[in-house]
Amino acid sequence: MRLLIMGPPGAGKGTQAVALAERIGGAHISTGDIFRANVAQETELGRTAKRFMDAGEYVPDEVTNAMVADRLAQDDAREAFLLDGYPRTLDQVAKLDEILNELGTQLDGVVALTVVEDELISRLLERAKVSGRTDDTEDVIRHRQDVYRAETEPLLAVYRDRGLLVEVDGMGTPDAVGQRIADALPSA
Ligand code: ADP
């Protein structure tokens, strides 16, 4: 199975993604995790990404697209994968279509977690106390919500039109949300 998981910052995407990738037996490909690993290792890619991430901006598409194309071509992603945090722009949607086309495959579904904005902000402020993430300050948290609404929310309509979108209520405990995802994707 080949899936995407989407949701605004704070929706619990990362937590659910780990469990869902395990269920489908596929590679969990989180662009945020890959960027953070590169930042930690102080690679060239990490240095570029850090400037954007710390400001709550998206890393430029050409950087992100090349990284995902490489990752999807690896063996462990051949049969099944869960993309977490990609695509985030319409340009990335077009690029992903191209990558999958070249690999001779396509998406089976797009899980979108929905959470009201007040809850998102309060979750992220809580996380900021423990995460040590440099993009978890209040101004940056608010800015990331704005960027999500402007750049990423329009992708929901694209995948809805393609009949791929599965919207799941992201309120409640991680287990409750995980159960909803499982119910919504019986074949996963
Ligand atoms: P969150 O879902 O909490 O925003 P992520 O871990 O998914 O966190 O991403 C962290 C940061 O990494 C983003 O704010 C952005 O700067 C960068 N990033 C991740 N994925 C992408 C992407 N597909 N395109 C551009 N930037 C990205």
Side-chain angles (χ1 to χ4, degrees), residues 6 152-163 165:
M6 296 182 51
T152 305
E153 217 167 58
L155 275 55
L156 297 176
V158 172
Y159 288 120
R160 189 179 294 118
D161 286 350
R162 295 186 190 181
L165 190 69

Side-chain angles (χ1 to χ4, degrees), residues 7-10 13 30-33 35-36 52-53 56-59 61 64 84-88 92 124 127 133 135 144:
K13 202 167 44 72
S30 158
T31 45
D33 286 353
F35 285 135
R36 279 186 290 277
F52 297 95
M53 293 168 79
E57 299 289 344
Y58 288 166
V59 177
D61 282 341
T64 311
D84 163 5
Y86 183 93
R88 263 178 154 102
Q92 292 180 11
L124 289 169
R127 183 173 82 184
R133 272 176 55 161
D135 59 352
R144 280 159 61 212

